[in-house]
Amino acid sequence: MKRADRLMAIIMALQHRPETAQSLADKFEVSKRTILRDMEALCEMGVPLYSSTGPSGGFRLMDGYMLPPLQFNSMEALTVLFALRGMTQLPDSPFNEERWTVMDKIKHVLPQETRSQIAPLLEKMELSVPKRKYRTPFLSALLDYVSVSAWVRAFYRSQNHQRWLTLLPQRIYAAHGFWYCEAYSTVHRESRSFRIDRFEKLMPLGDEAELAAAILCYKLSERDTLDGREAGSSRNVPATLHIHARLTYRGLLQVEQDEHIGECVRAVGEDIWEVSFDCPQAEWEWAVRFFYQLGLEAEVLEPAVLRMEIRRIAEQMCNRYDAEEKGGNGH
């Protein structure tokens, strides 16, 4: 970090709380002597600094001294605008208007020289988000429930069901162009990810009896999970299946997009990659479906049971189209 940038960062840090020379040295990865020289330079520049002793002592700014807002260098401005522009690709968010207005405000206050420096880079950089068409009217409400760990009642539309669920929202995240809520479900007795655009009704769980039952279910589920792991290890029943597969380049691109196993890919030769990971028993159906859909872009090396399951589904597919072909020839 350049000294001028560090001096600005020191002032910004002191606007929030007192700092000792050692805490600043640790934060900016320089020596304590360097920080003391920086403090002298700031005083010579007219920055109203003073120091105090004691347990809560350190360097402070005089009350009322504030830096002008948005003192970005070119790379900081590029970082913020790049991230914000990626967010604008999401079709919906809790801050639909703000994600546009904040970009305009940042560009407005940046010096012309800075804007000229970052504009070509922004045109060459892209944060790719799949284009989707959906609305998430309950996204902001779910964020509120997550922040206070509140139970909710939700009417949820999945691929197979439309029903009321009792949920404990735990985390909100965006992936593959969709917003998801990771929540514990009393129906499934485990934490699952729910697409937020599929929530049709949402309300707090106000009934005390229902709330008590939900909390009890959650605690019992945690205990059953722990007991199941211990029992499984004592019976030598594997809690996971090790999956090892070889990938083509197109297969590599598809596997890398998966948030759970994307980091498990490694190169083993020219234009040959492999993915190796432990798959929980509860995700077995996902693994079968995932590798079957990869088709010829992946070859499962182990376990044998996964190879057999993919072959069985492929044979069913062949039989279906063989039957249609024979039926068509018969006409």
Side-chain angles (χ1 to χ4, degrees), residues 218-243:
Y218 181 54
K219 291 181 177 180
L220 289 175
S221 178
E222 286 186 320
R223 189 190 68 184
D224 291 345
T225 300
L226 179 61
D227 292 346
R229 289 173 183 167
E230 294 175 351
S233 60
S234 64
R235 295 194 302 266
N236 293 321
V237 176
T240 61
L241 287 172
H242 185 73
I243 294 178

Side-chain angles (χ1 to χ4, degrees), residues 273-319:
W273 294 264
E274 290 185 355
V275 60
S276 182
F277 64 98
D278 291 327
C279 177
Q281 289 279 3
E283 301 298 328
W284 171 249
E285 291 185 3
W286 165 85
V288 173
R289 191 166 58 249
F290 181 81
F291 283 97
Y292 173 74
Q293 291 173 350
L294 285 175
L296 297 178
E297 308 303 338
E299 178 188 0
V300 174
L301 303 178
E302 60 174 323
V305 64
L306 180 54
R307 292 171 57 92
M308 293 172 59
E309 187 65 13
I310 293 173
R311 177 175 177 174
R312 183 185 67 80
I313 298 174
E315 288 177 345
Q316 289 180 342
M317 186 67 70
C318 289
N319 292 336

Side-chain angles (χ1 to χ4, degrees), residues 3 80 94 138 176 214 239 249-250 267 289:
R3 192 187 189 199
V80 174
F138 299 110
H176 316 300
Y249 176 67
R250 291 188 179 88
R289 191 166 58 249

Side-chain angles (χ1 to χ4, degrees), residues 135-175:
R135 302 297 296 174
T136 55
F138 299 110
L139 178 53
S140 295
L142 284 167
L143 282 171
D144 292 337
Y145 290 131
V146 166
S147 67
V148 295
S149 299
W151 287 85
V152 300
R153 286 278 288 165
F155 191 79
Y156 186 75
R157 170 181 50 82
S158 66
Q159 292 181 343
N160 301 319
H161 302 283
Q162 295 186 37
R163 56 185 171 178
W164 285 96
L165 298 173
T166 300
L167 304 174
L168 176 61
Q170 299 167 321
R171 184 168 67 102
I172 303 294
Y173 64 96

